[in-house]
């Protein structure tokens, strides 16, 4: 059974924020890895104290814990009842140790010490896509300029840290002699420095290179979305380094006829008064080609026809959106004398007098249906 957070820190439920912090600092120093090398029990107590402090130091989380206990965080996550790792603890709470441990560095158990792999910086590009490409998914080949290690470059062990990536120091504190670790300022923690570089390379043995990258873009992406292509960013110096990533920002090219609204598409169809009265078949533009639809005679302006599945695929594979065809009856603006005479005769014709049926929805009802 999980221990009570207040019991772990040795405080009461009425403890102030300052008392909670002091109690955590006391426990953290007591069970700190540098003070208890190789002691698994101390490691667990150190992590328990950090987890308790992560919850009790946050007023919102503390209130939930006071009301529901550990069940309030059954969803998991940092501060949710799952074990924390040392990197999380020192990245979040390193400053709470003050100067006792040299800025939160540590050696020994729990990982975190030793040489680290340097990662290159990320690159960012924009890729423009048509609505058809977005609807069907596409593979794009793009050219990028990225930093790579020059051919023939060599690296050697950093003499300052002897390849460990860290500089160890012994400090006298109120708790006695403490060993602290800081990142080597010469090799930036990689444990290696430049040995030989070919002509044309920079001071770190890097040069700019043109690279063609293939990007598989899934159907259903949206404007502004960012995709990541792993390891296609800039490389970093050192034989153990790893490249950064290529971040791809999606830019949607506006379609000439179709307007996008999430996964649905909208199409404005204009027909003449004669076509509306007599009925007509029309070709409709879709992202998968043209389709023919039939309009019944007497169709009204403002009618919305829904073509199921003719929209944009869901990025989460929940099917396709729809294509909504908005029917607009075009009223002629310039009539000759014969046409005017015809419409003048129709002014009193019974068939030309508006007689909306109850089944004919109002504009506001159509808008409501469209968004429901």
């Amino acid at each position: 059974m999980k221990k009570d957070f207040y019991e772990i820190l040795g405080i009461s439920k009425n403890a102030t924020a300052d008392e909670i912090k002091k109690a955590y600092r006391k426990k953290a120093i007591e069970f700190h890895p540098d003070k208890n090398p190789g002691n698994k029990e101390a490691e667990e107590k150190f992590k328990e104290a950090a987890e308790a402090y992560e919850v009790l130091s946050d007023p919102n989380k503390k209130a939930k814990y006071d009301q529901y206990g550990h069940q309030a965080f059954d969803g998991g996550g940092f501060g949710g009842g799952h074990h924390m790792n040392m990197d999380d603890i020192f990245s979040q709470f390193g400053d709470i140790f003050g100067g006792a441990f040299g800025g939160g560095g540590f050696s020994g158990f729990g990982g975190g010490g030793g040489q680290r792999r340097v990662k290159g910086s990320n690159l960012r590009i924009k890729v423009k896509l048509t609505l058809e490409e977005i609807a069907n998914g596409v593979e794009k080949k793009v050219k990028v300029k990225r930093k790579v290690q020059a051919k023939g470059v060599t690296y050697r062990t950093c003499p300052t840290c002897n390849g460990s990536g860290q500089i160890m120091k012994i400090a006298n504190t109120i708790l006695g002699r403490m060993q602290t670790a800081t990142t080597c300022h010469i090799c930036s923690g990689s444990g290696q420095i430049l040995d030989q570089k070919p002509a044309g390379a920079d001071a770190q043995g890097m040069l700019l290179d043109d690279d063609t990258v293939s990007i598989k873009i899934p159907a259903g992406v949206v404007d502004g979305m960012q995709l990541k292509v792993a390891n296609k960013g800039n490389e970093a110096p050192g034989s153990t380094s790893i490249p950064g990533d290529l971040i791809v920002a999606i830019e949607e090219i506006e379609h000439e006829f179709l307007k996008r609204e999430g996964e649905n598409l909208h199409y404005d169809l204009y027909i003449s008064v004669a076509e509306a009265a007599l009925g007509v078949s029309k070709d409709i533009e879709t992202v998968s080609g043209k389709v023919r639809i039939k309009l019944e005679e007497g169709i009204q302006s403002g009618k919305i026809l829904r073509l199921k599945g003719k929209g944009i695929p869901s990025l989460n594979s929940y099917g396709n959106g729809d294509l909504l065809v908005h029917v607009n009856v075009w009223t002629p603006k310039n009539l000759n004398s014969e046409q005017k005479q015809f419409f003048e005769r129709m002014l009193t014709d019974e068939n030309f007098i508006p007689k909306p049926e109850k089944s004919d929805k109002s504009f506001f009802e159509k808008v409501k249906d469209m968004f429901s």
Side-chain angles (χ1 to χ4, degrees):
M1 187 174 178
K2 201 170 181 66
K3 292 183 182 178
D4 180 79
F5 285 156
Y6 291 100
E7 184 182 336
I8 290 172
L9 297 183
I11 56 176
S12 70
K13 286 191 175 182
N14 297 323
T16 64
D18 190 51
E19 289 171 338
I20 293 171
K21 185 174 181 179
K22 285 181 179 179
Y24 169 56
R25 189 176 190 276
K26 181 180 178 182
K27 292 290 183 182
I29 290 176
E30 180 182 354
F31 299 114
H32 195 282
D34 282 344
K35 196 178 179 186
N36 302 273
N39 188 329
K40 290 292 182 183
E41 184 180 353
E43 177 182 1
E44 285 304 312
K45 290 183 180 295
F46 183 78
K47 291 179 179 178
E48 284 178 355
E51 186 179 8
Y53 179 71
E54 196 267 338
V55 171
L56 299 183
S57 62
D58 184 309
N60 292 327
K61 290 180 182 178
K62 183 178 183 296
K64 289 181 181 179
Y65 180 75
D66 288 344
Q67 187 172 3
Y68 302 108
H70 293 297
Q71 291 182 344
F73 308 104
D74 280 346
F78 190 42
H82 288 252
H83 283 294
M84 300 163 65
N85 62 53
M86 292 297 189
D87 287 340
D88 287 335
I89 295 170
F90 282 105
S91 65
Q92 293 227 20
F93 310 130
D95 60 333
I96 207 168
F97 303 117
F101 295 96
F106 64 95
S107 61
F109 70 79
Q115 179 179 336
R116 67 184 180 91
R117 298 183 72 186
V118 176
K119 184 176 181 178
S121 59
N122 292 340
L123 288 175
R124 297 179 182 275
I125 62 168
K126 276 187 178 182
V127 171
K128 294 184 178 182
L129 300 178
T130 65
L131 205 53
E132 288 80 6
E133 289 173 328
I134 289 173
N136 299 304
V138 66
E139 184 171 350
K140 289 277 189 180
K141 293 185 183 296
V142 297
K143 282 189 176 183
V144 295
K145 281 189 176 293
R146 53 194 294 255
K147 281 188 176 182
V148 298
Q149 290 186 15
K151 289 183 179 180
V153 68
T154 58
Y155 299 91
R156 59 187 173 90
T157 301
C158 175
T160 304
C161 65
N162 294 320
S164 69
Q166 293 186 333
I167 298 174
M168 310 303 294
K169 293 181 180 179
I170 302 295
N172 292 318
T173 71
I174 58 173
L175 301 172
R177 291 169 65 81
M178 290 289 181
Q179 181 177 265
T180 62
T182 57
T183 301
C184 178
H185 63 283
I186 299 298
C187 64
S188 301
S190 68
Q192 297 179 329
I193 60 173
L194 186 67
D195 183 25
Q196 294 182 347
K197 69 181 183 75
D202 64 16
Q204 294 181 310
M206 312 295 291
L207 52 80
L208 276 177
D209 186 42
D210 289 322
D211 193 7
T212 300
V213 180
S214 181
I215 307 169
K216 290 185 177 180
I217 300 173
V221 295
V222 298
D223 186 79
M225 179 177 285
Q226 294 187 346
L227 306 178
K228 183 180 79 172
V229 184
N231 301 326
K232 287 299 182 180
N234 289 320
E235 293 183 2
S239 59
T240 61
S241 65
I242 55 176
D245 302 321
L246 177 64
I247 308 301
V248 182
I250 301 299
E251 185 174 330
E252 183 178 311
I253 300 172
E254 188 174 347
H255 196 277
E256 185 179 1
F257 304 110
L258 300 171
K259 300 296 180 185
R260 183 179 180 182
E261 181 192 32
E263 292 160 11
N264 292 331
L265 296 174
H266 296 268
Y267 181 90
D268 275 315
L269 175 63
Y270 290 89
I271 60 175
S272 68
V273 174
E275 288 172 326
L278 301 174
V280 67
S281 292
K282 286 285 187 179
D283 288 332
I284 301 298
E285 191 88 20
T286 76
V287 288
S288 56
K290 290 185 177 181
V291 297
R292 173 155 288 205
I293 62 171
K294 187 174 182 180
L295 307 181
E296 73 275 13
E297 61 182 49
I299 192 167
Q300 300 298 313
S301 186
K303 178 83 172 179
I304 300 174
L305 305 177
R306 185 182 294 267
L307 303 186
K308 282 283 189 181
K310 291 295 183 181
I312 302 294
S314 166
L315 193 59
N316 298 316
S317 302
Y318 295 141
N320 284 32
D322 302 327
L323 173 59
L324 303 173
V325 180
H326 301 260
V327 178
N328 301 281
V329 178
W330 183 263
T331 304
K333 296 180 179 180
N334 299 303
L335 300 176
N336 60 35
S337 58
E338 184 180 350
Q339 291 166 338
K340 283 184 177 180
Q341 288 174 10
F342 168 78
F343 281 107
E344 284 169 354
R345 291 197 303 271
M346 296 303 109
L347 284 174
T348 55
D349 190 287
E350 190 173 330
N351 285 330
F352 277 75
I353 297 174
K355 296 176 183 177
E357 299 177 358
K358 289 185 178 179
S359 59
D360 293 333
K361 294 183 178 180
S362 69
F363 171 78
F364 297 104
E365 288 173 321
K366 291 173 185 175
V367 171
K368 183 180 177 182
D369 287 346
M370 190 170 61
F371 288 99
S372 63

